[in-house]
Amino acid sequence: MLDLARLRVLRELKTRGTVGAVAQALGYTPSAVSQQLARLQQELGVPLVERAGRRLRLTEAGEVLADHAEALLARAQQAEEETAAASGRVVGVVRVVGYQTALINLLAPVLPGLARRHPELTVEVIDEEFVRVLQALVLREVDIVITDEYSALPRPRRPELTAEPLITEPMRLALPEGHPAAASGGPVRLADLARETWVTGHPGTNHAELLERACVDLAGFRPDIRHRSNDIHVIMALVRHAGAACLFPDVGRAESFPGVVVRDLADAELRRHIVVWTRIGADVRPSVRVVLEALRGSAAELTGRFPSLALLI
């Protein structure tokens, strides 16, 4: 009988590539990883790994078993959760990664209800916005990822993942109160802000790339980015006190921050989509399914309160 723990080690070696990375991911020592692989080889009687310089790599037989391991481990987890769900229990840990405004407005409000309805469910939340989040999902380090993407900057789809858009929202200009460009109360042209200083997200985020592309493509100038933050409170403080301009999504409710005014863009309509990613088939797990259902309900409630947001499910 195949040992699931050893299969997990083999699967991790295929996805992560080195014994050291596997050890770090699973909380083992490198020697313990090597021992688990050696015992798996002994049990099957075929070589699963081979030396390639200082590294171990999978043999052809190892590749075949690693592919089966992926399916077997997923089915084992599904079996555990569905057995518990059949008795009326939803159990397990669901790890959710997202960016700040989505966590504040979509996920956080549903956590109390999930805790009441499913006391044996643990939802772990990570506030993070980095290029590697989707790879972390593929590697099963997390279970759900909430990302932003813009109509002009779609994220590439991946065959092993499913992407579900929940909400689309307009991007608007956040300006310091009393800014001359905002005096009329009407839409503002980006070209009229060519001499302004700007605040945006950290390099590598879609928010940062959107600002540069919008200013160059729509208004013919490269923005003078003086400040960077992924924290909405820091961004709005810099708009108010440092006089910076900012492109901001409607769900962030920039107008609720003192000293900040919000205006529509006159140049073009820019929209942001809130997208939920899971691994293909992950929603068969009761724990993942109830969190996804809660996020869909949260999106519906949010769009009901703010008509400028559009529900996409």
Side-chain angles (χ1 to χ4, degrees):
M1 182 69 69
L2 291 169
D3 183 285
L4 288 178
R6 292 180 193 130
L7 287 177
R8 180 172 288 109
V9 172
L10 186 72
R11 191 274 310 277
E12 293 293 327
L13 181 62
K14 177 176 180 177
T15 55
R16 298 178 189 277
T18 68
V19 169
V22 174
Q24 184 175 17
L26 298 181
Y28 293 167
T29 63
S31 61
V33 170
S34 298
Q35 289 168 15
Q36 291 290 316
L37 293 171
R39 292 190 65 179
L40 186 59
Q41 288 187 129
Q42 291 170 2
E43 290 170 354
L44 289 171
V46 296
L48 300 174
V49 295
E50 60 188 4
R51 284 283 172 190
R54 299 179 61 183
R55 300 174 61 176
L56 284 181
R57 69 182 178 193
L58 298 182
T59 63
E60 184 176 350
E63 292 279 356
V64 170
L65 184 58
D67 289 339
H68 283 293
E70 181 77 22
L72 289 169
L73 291 166
R75 288 301 301 270
Q77 184 173 26
Q78 179 186 345
E80 290 178 6
E81 293 195 3
E82 289 189 352
T83 300
S87 65
R89 297 163 54 204
V90 174
V91 302
V93 177
V94 176
R95 297 176 180 86
V96 184
V97 175
Y99 62 98
Q100 192 179 48
T101 53
L103 295 181
I104 290 172
N105 293 284
L106 275 180
L107 180 62
V110 305
L111 293 178
L114 285 170
R116 285 193 305 272
R117 293 190 299 273
H118 309 293
E120 294 179 281
L121 171 68
T122 299
V123 181
E124 296 181 355
V125 181
I126 306 167
D127 173 13
E128 192 62 81
E129 185 176 4
F130 57 100
V131 175
R132 197 183 154 274
V133 287
L134 295 182
Q135 185 65 15
L137 185 59
V138 171
L139 293 176
R140 298 180 178 272
E141 295 172 356
V142 297
D143 302 294
I144 296 173
V145 171
I146 308 173
T147 66
D148 61 350
E149 66 179 38
Y150 301 90
S151 50
L153 296 170
R155 292 180 187 266
R157 297 309 190 240
R158 302 182 58 153
E160 63 271 67
L161 302 179
T162 179
E164 179 182 348
L166 288 186
I167 286 174
T168 181
E169 56 184 327
M171 296 292 291
R172 294 198 165 99
L173 282 165
L175 298 168
E177 195 172 50
H179 192 287
S184 70
V188 175
R189 295 172 63 245
L190 270 177
D192 294 337
L193 302 175
R195 297 181 180 275
E196 301 297 322
T197 59
W198 293 81
V199 54
T200 190
H202 290 299
T205 63
N206 268 15
H207 187 212
E209 188 174 350
L210 175 73
L211 174 64
E212 297 219 28
R213 186 171 294 189
C215 290
V216 171
D217 293 349
L218 299 178
F221 71 92
R222 190 163 298 280
D224 179 9
I225 299 173
R226 298 278 182 91
H227 319 291
R228 293 188 183 271
S229 176
N230 291 342
D231 187 308
I232 59 174
H233 298 280
V234 173
I235 290 173
M236 290 301 109
L238 290 166
V239 171
R240 179 185 183 184
H241 297 291
C246 179
L247 278 177
F248 210 68
D250 209 36
V251 77
R253 315 311 300 170
E255 64 271 23
S256 66
F257 290 86
V260 175
V261 296
V262 176
R263 296 292 182 264
D264 290 331
L265 280 167
D267 312 76
E269 184 179 54
L270 298 176
R271 300 192 72 83
R272 181 176 80 164
H273 310 294
I274 298 177
V275 182
V276 176
W277 299 73
T278 54
R279 291 180 295 276
I280 293 289
D283 57 352
V284 301
R285 288 175 51 197
S287 59
V288 172
R289 187 165 60 247
V290 298
V291 176
L292 290 174
E293 289 170 352
L295 286 170
R296 294 178 189 124
S298 184
E301 191 278 333
L302 195 62
T303 55
R305 287 192 292 123
F306 302 111
S308 65
L309 309 181
L311 190 65
L312 293 182
I313 60 175

